Amino acid sequence: MRAWPSPEVPALPDGIRGPQLRVRSSHTADLLDVVPTGTARMYVCGITPYDATHLGHAATYVAFDLLNRAWRSAGHPVRYVQNVTDVDDPLLERAAATGEDWEALAERETQLFRDDMVALRVLPPDAYVGAVESIPLVVSMVQELDAAGAAYAVDQDLYFRVATDPDFGTVSGWNRDQMLAVFADRGGDPDRPGKQDALDCLLWQGERPGEPAWDTALGRGRPGWHVECSAIARAHLGGPVDVQGGGSDLVFPHHEMSASEAQVVDGSPFARAYVHAGMVGLDGEKMSKSRGNLVLVSTLRGEGVDPMAIRLAILGHHYRSDWEWTAADLTDAEARLATWRKALTAPAGASAEPVITDVLSALADDLDAPRAVARVHDWVTATLGGDTSDDGSPARLATVLDAALGLAL
Ligand code: 5CA
Ligand code: ZN
């Protein structure tokens, strides 16, 4: 599948390099050094394209864009893979409800997502991979799971036996009760008769009347959700990946299951770090397509909002925190952006070198964008307050903000 065009990433000014990156992973209590050996490899779960990009999606993809940029600032090449869940229950249900062709719906919403990512200056993945085009990969992975004794049939469907992974549960660190409490709400079917364990998850779904299906060695059907991501990540990155990413609603079951499935066939951990972005809410509820309480990036863009103001508003919140989107987030960011532009296009400003160091350190310290933003804002205030002691400093700082924060001013 086509990704989207990349924004320019300027080289950091001479002599400037970011520190090594540390992030929080769900599977361990400590901050983790994510220093890749050779090329850094990141897999981030992509959209299910049945409705347009909302601020929650945008915040999650901006978070992993910061991670991608922090690695690059530290001098590491990065290989980044993202999927598109272009066949799954929510997409088919939406298409059935509106009478639209499911493929047309997926293509339209994927294109809108690409346009939103371009506007927000999010670097594209090196491989942008759909579930449909990955069916052969999924089929061969399910066959490997079957050969490992980790798959069984219930009617026409195939299930993953979670008990075959001795490390099942270590990605989330959740106990069985916590898992069972959310499994049904997050695509699982704990009560289906014939399953060996309530937590076993679908690998392959046999054809249902009126739903799309493909002829494969597993019979006619379509892929389960979790194995889609493990199969794509294994084929396009190899394992273990340095970072598996997504929003915190994917910690369980999605990231637990996809890691387990890969671990059973590979005999090694799926990822070194499992990094999760917090949930963005609106009016006290998680922003979600199924709830319909959405602020869409494309709506804001259509109203003429500068995408850099949207990005700056997102950067004002730490990626791991849950936060509420408010209209004030945007108006504050718009006002801030105007003052930043004034200071950063001046011929001289307050001393920039310590600010550059602090911005890169903040980002390397578990992607602390709010700290970086506050530091820049202090510099802007000093510069506009008349401190022009450093010739050329605005241009140097502007380059770093573009490369590391993705803010083209
Ligand atoms: N296709 C699957 C992943 S394989 C999926 O979860 N798609 S999605 O469209 O529902 O979500 C896309 C990404 O946005 C996921 O990483 C998800 O965790 C994240 N996300 C969804 N809602 C929010 C929200 N309210 N705040 C922050 N991130 C969110
Ligand atoms: Zn995924």
Side-chain angles (χ1 to χ4, degrees), residues 116-240:
D116 290 336
M117 293 297 104
V118 169
L120 293 171
R121 295 183 74 80
V122 173
L123 299 179
D126 301 287
Y128 194 43
V129 191
V132 172
E133 66 185 343
S134 304
I135 287 173
L137 295 176
V138 170
V139 169
S140 64
M141 181 154 173
V142 172
Q143 288 171 324
E144 286 182 77
L145 283 163
D146 192 29
Y152 63 93
V154 178
D155 306 325
Q156 300 304 101
D157 303 333
L158 292 173
Y159 278 83
F160 172 60
R161 192 178 274 127
V162 293
T164 49
D165 177 20
D167 292 328
F168 179 75
T170 56
V171 168
S172 61
W174 290 13
N175 64 36
R176 200 175 159 84
D177 287 344
Q178 288 172 297
M179 292 177 181
L180 284 168
V182 305
F183 192 49
D185 280 344
R186 296 185 180 178
D189 52 2
D191 301 323
R192 178 163 180 187
K195 281 174 59 173
Q196 297 176 1
D197 183 321
L199 290 172
D200 289 346
C201 68
L202 201 61
L203 289 169
W204 184 258
Q205 180 165 307
E207 182 173 19
R208 304 279 195 274
E211 289 190 358
W214 288 264
D215 272 318
T216 73
L218 304 173
R220 268 183 79 71
R222 61 181 166 97
W225 172 31
H226 313 304
V227 72
E228 162 193 344
C229 283
S230 17
I232 292 173
R234 285 175 78 236
H236 292 269
L237 288 167

Side-chain angles (χ1 to χ4, degrees), residues 43-46 83 85 225-226 228-229 244-245 250 254-255 258:
Y43 183 87
V44 176
C45 283
N83 69 307
T85 308
W225 172 31
H226 313 304
E228 162 193 344
C229 283
Q244 153 74 308
L250 299 186
H254 186 52
H255 288 174
S258 50

